[in-house]
Amino acid sequence: MAAWEGIEEAVMVAQMGSFVRAAQRLNTAPSNVSRAIDRLEQRLKTRLFTRTTRVVKLTDSGRLLITRFARLVAERDEAFATLDSGGEPHGDLRITCSAAMGERFVAPIMRELCRKHPQLSIHLNLTNRVVDLVGEGYDLAIRTGDLTDSRLICTQIAQRRVLTCASPAYLAQHGTPAKVGDLAQHACLVGTSDEWRFRQNGETVLWRAQGRWHCNNGHAIVAAAREDMGICHLPEFYVSEDIKNGRLAVILDQFRQADESIWAVYPSRRHLSARVQVAIEALRQAMPSVI
């Protein structure tokens, strides 16, 4: 039995929800599709589908295996197409990134990439949820900080700098903190995390921020800081314009944590994909070195 027998048929039935429609897409007879899947199920010693006269549904084992089979088929087709296209990136590129960084930096870069390569389709998911790249079938993620998933390969594309800021009016009224502990006497504007990181004597210092304004949106935190409500602790790209225009002032900079790496992260099985390579290179070239 050929190693691929039944795999493409199973993927197509799962996608189409019908043996007849799958056969039409594969340009073969429904009986051929059914026999190929029967042989595949015998080989795997498990059922992939439950069948009635009206409905075809994946079993639990089927759902688990079809995701992997679909990747195999896509990678096979990509390998063949790469030869025909002379290495030009093509097909679907699925990317995930946090909402703020994605909107500000990644989306514009990927739009330009899409314009440059007409055979490439880009699906960009902006979410603050940590997506399982392997399990959910993503090609690429943009992430910060330490990475622990051994299934993934990472390439640094930029760095992120976190600054502590307040408005000049707030500091004039309440004083400027001289050390991290002085934050206890101030109103902290708390974002997605109340754990603020600083660096002192070569070691990381964690400060549990407390205040009356909490919001999971960085722009809303910056707006509160501009309105003299307290001290914020955010990536530089949120506050750079306000610092430049004098609306916010950097404080405690001598205790600023080391810049965090921003990574392009991808499953190891995709490291030769032309579309992933061209996307990483575009991000590396177009992203500011520090954001």
Side-chain angles (χ1 to χ4, degrees), residues 133-197:
L133 268 67
V134 176
E136 298 182 47
Y138 278 85
D139 299 288
L140 188 63
I142 312 303
R143 292 179 177 167
T144 58
D146 297 329
L147 305 174
T148 58
D149 194 332
S150 61
R151 300 174 300 172
L152 305 176
I153 294 177
C154 58
T155 299
Q156 184 174 320
I157 58 173
Q159 290 184 301
R160 184 176 74 167
R161 179 171 296 160
V162 178
L163 300 177
T164 309
C165 304
S167 69
Y170 174 88
L171 296 175
Q173 181 177 356
H174 300 281
T176 301
K179 57 184 184 295
V180 175
D182 291 346
L183 290 171
Q185 309 304 318
H186 288 268
C188 294
L189 307 172
V190 185
T192 53
S193 173
D194 63 356
E195 199 173 75
W196 293 5
R197 294 176 180 269

Side-chain angles (χ1 to χ4, degrees), residues 97-104 125-128 238:
C97 180
S98 64
M101 190 188 307
E103 182 179 0
R104 181 74 173 270
N125 179 23
L126 301 184
T127 176
N128 293 329
Y238 279 109

